[in-house]
Amino acid sequence: MKILWVKYIRVIVLMSLMVLSPNVSMTQETQAPHLIITPENVDDISHLLDYQSHTSRTYGIAFDLEGRHLFAVGENEGENFSVFTVFSLENREFRIPEQPQLRGLQDVQFIAGSLAIDETMLLIMNGNIVVWDILSDAPVGVISQNYSTITTHLGHRWILVASGETGLLSVWDIPSLPPSPTAEPPPPPPPEPPFDWIASLKGATQLDGPIADVGYDPVHGILVLGRDGNLHRLLLNEGFIFEHSETLPQEPPVGAQPQVVARDKDLIAFDSEQEWIAYAGSYQDVVVYDYDEGQQLLRYPVDEFVVCLMTSPNKDLLVIGDNGPNATLIFINTSTFEEVGRVNIGSFISDCAFSPDGTMIATATEVGVTSLWGIQ
């Protein structure tokens, strides 16, 4: 157990040594309230700011649940370490941890209501997922699964983890801990961490092929997108046994190349109430399936490979991000499933995210620049 936690003690130290970076500029206007992005005002979206995340490539970005900070993980080409950055949207401060001890970071994700803590961050690494308490700014546990690439929250204390290459799908139970008593900076870490738990495995299943993305629809079950372009819907019973329910039918497009992997994650989006789901069926188009009708609604072709697929917080927009040299965000009105606008990013992108209030979109580029977009 001590050996397992050595590198996470280093992470605690590094996060406590975060420093401010002066390399960020923002116009005064960007601090004014922004409008919620809707199908009617997509054409008014403009570029708000850029910041350099001190990486040559950014793998994943995420807003915290209150939309006050933007987190990013990435790495520098040719260097065997990762970079974790935090940008404050309120005071325009940019923090980076000391290097080179963070290794193998692939993504960052936020969940609510787990561990009896208001907000928890998951740092996805090579074979491990660090469970991080935002309030105390310290790790509280780890999920250990080889080749883990994608996670989603199933509610309560349960985290669904997929190992993309191997096709392994597992549910983990993270222990319930009391809330952090204070938001003040934590004291220097002791020689041994005050915790030493590892999440417990509740159930697992082995799929026939590699996994490109997973999602959880509370109404329709667990959604798994295979790298073959097929979307599978699974049910999880009370005994944490996976039940293979169905593979959603689709009409393959001419010239589809589902074996080409643009990325793992952010390739599924859905609206439980309106009974539809969208997914990157061939990585170069988006399939929209109607649960109520039990059929494919449309297939939306994209010129380049899809790297992110998301809905606005109020579900009235479906946003498709492609990964061409002049990457584009494509906005689809989900009441009609017609395109209502595009935003040209201007370079290859690796991820995108909507702010929780629906007023801003963040994009990460393959050259380590994170950009914010919105309506002034």
Side-chain angles (χ1 to χ4, degrees):
M1 186 67 68
K2 294 182 179 178
I3 294 175
L4 178 65
W5 279 103
V6 166
K7 61 181 178 181
Y8 300 114
I9 297 173
R10 294 174 182 165
V11 176
I12 300 174
V13 175
L14 292 173
M15 293 299 287
S16 66
L17 293 175
M18 285 183 173
V19 296
L20 297 180
S21 169
N23 300 325
V24 179
S25 62
M26 182 189 294
T27 62
Q28 188 67 30
E29 288 80 9
T30 60
Q31 299 184 63
H34 302 294
L35 295 176
I36 294 176
I37 299 172
T38 69
E40 291 72 32
N41 62 19
V42 165
D43 288 340
D44 296 327
I45 295 175
S46 62
H47 177 254
L48 302 179
L49 68 96
D50 288 332
Y51 76 85
Q52 173 58 247
S53 58
H54 291 254
T55 62
S56 60
R57 180 180 175 88
T58 302
Y59 289 137
I61 54 175
F63 289 91
D64 63 11
L65 298 183
E66 294 183 352
R68 299 170 59 187
H69 298 89
L70 185 63
F71 292 70
V73 296
E75 68 178 16
N76 288 309
E77 186 176 356
E79 298 178 343
N80 188 26
F81 64 89
S82 302
V83 178
F84 178 80
T85 65
V86 187
F87 180 71
S88 171
L89 299 172
E90 292 182 333
N91 54 25
R92 296 171 290 169
E93 292 180 348
F94 176 60
R95 301 182 292 159
I96 59 174
E98 292 289 333
Q99 301 168 32
Q101 296 298 329
L102 293 175
R103 301 179 186 274
L105 285 176
Q106 301 174 17
D107 200 13
V108 56
Q109 180 183 355
F110 288 86
I111 59 176
S114 67
L115 298 172
I117 297 172
D118 289 338
E119 185 169 6
T120 301
M121 178 173 64
L122 301 180
L123 291 175
I124 303 172
M125 307 175 74
N126 290 335
N128 289 294
I129 299 170
V130 179
V131 183
W132 197 283
D133 175 18
I134 294 297
L135 193 59
S136 64
D137 200 18
V140 291
V142 64
I143 302 171
S144 292
Q145 178 170 318
N146 289 337
Y147 307 106
S148 54
T149 53
I150 323 157
T151 66
T152 193
H153 189 207
L154 299 181
H156 194 50
R157 306 191 313 264
W158 303 324
I159 304 295
L160 182 71
V161 180
S163 296
E165 289 290 342
T166 65
L168 178 64
L169 193 65
S170 305
V171 177
W172 295 83
D173 185 9
I174 48 183
S176 180
L177 298 176
S180 301
T182 176
E184 296 179 358
E192 295 289 338
F195 47 81
D196 61 355
W197 60 261
I198 300 177
S200 59
L201 179 65
K202 303 297 292 185
T205 188
Q206 183 71 53
L207 303 184
D208 293 336
I211 298 171
D213 196 12
V214 296
Y216 176 60
D217 182 338
V219 176
H220 300 99
I222 293 172
L223 306 166
V224 179
L225 177 62
R227 288 189 185 171
D228 59 0
N230 289 314
L231 188 78
H232 311 279
R233 188 168 69 94
L234 289 73
L235 300 179
L236 187 67
N237 65 25
E238 294 181 355
F240 293 95
I241 298 175
F242 287 89
E243 299 175 352
H244 293 260
S245 177
E246 64 175 332
T247 299
L248 301 188
Q250 63 166 294
E251 298 177 5
V254 176
Q257 294 180 301
Q259 71 274 14
V260 178
V261 179
R263 64 173 296 139
D264 286 337
K265 88 177 186 76
D266 294 341
L267 299 176
I268 299 175
F270 56 86
D271 185 342
S272 300
E273 293 184 1
Q274 298 301 317
E275 298 274 318
W276 62 263
I277 178 171
Y279 60 98
S282 72
Y283 300 100
Q284 207 163 347
D285 60 7
V286 173
V287 175
V288 179
Y289 180 85
D290 188 323
Y291 281 122
D292 188 43
E293 298 293 332
Q295 63 182 9
Q296 179 176 308
L297 284 179
L298 62 90
R299 183 181 289 272
Y300 191 90
V302 181
D303 293 335
E304 305 289 344
F305 291 118
V306 178
V307 293
C308 61
L309 189 63
M310 62 182 179
T311 61
S312 56
N314 60 12
K315 307 293 186 181
D316 62 358
L317 282 170
L318 175 67
V319 183
I320 305 169
D322 67 25
N323 198 31
N326 292 300
T328 305
L329 295 180
I330 305 168
F331 294 82
I332 307 294
N333 185 337
T334 58
S335 63
T336 62
F337 285 103
E338 295 180 353
E339 182 180 326
V340 291
R342 296 190 176 207
V343 171
N344 191 325
I345 306 303
S347 62
F348 289 97
I349 62 175
S350 55
D351 200 7
C352 59
F354 241 115
S355 65
D357 62 3
T359 62
M360 289 184 290
I361 293 174
T363 57
T365 71
E366 293 190 349
V367 294
V369 176
T370 298
S371 303
L372 283 174
W373 310 81
I375 301 173
Q376 295 277 0

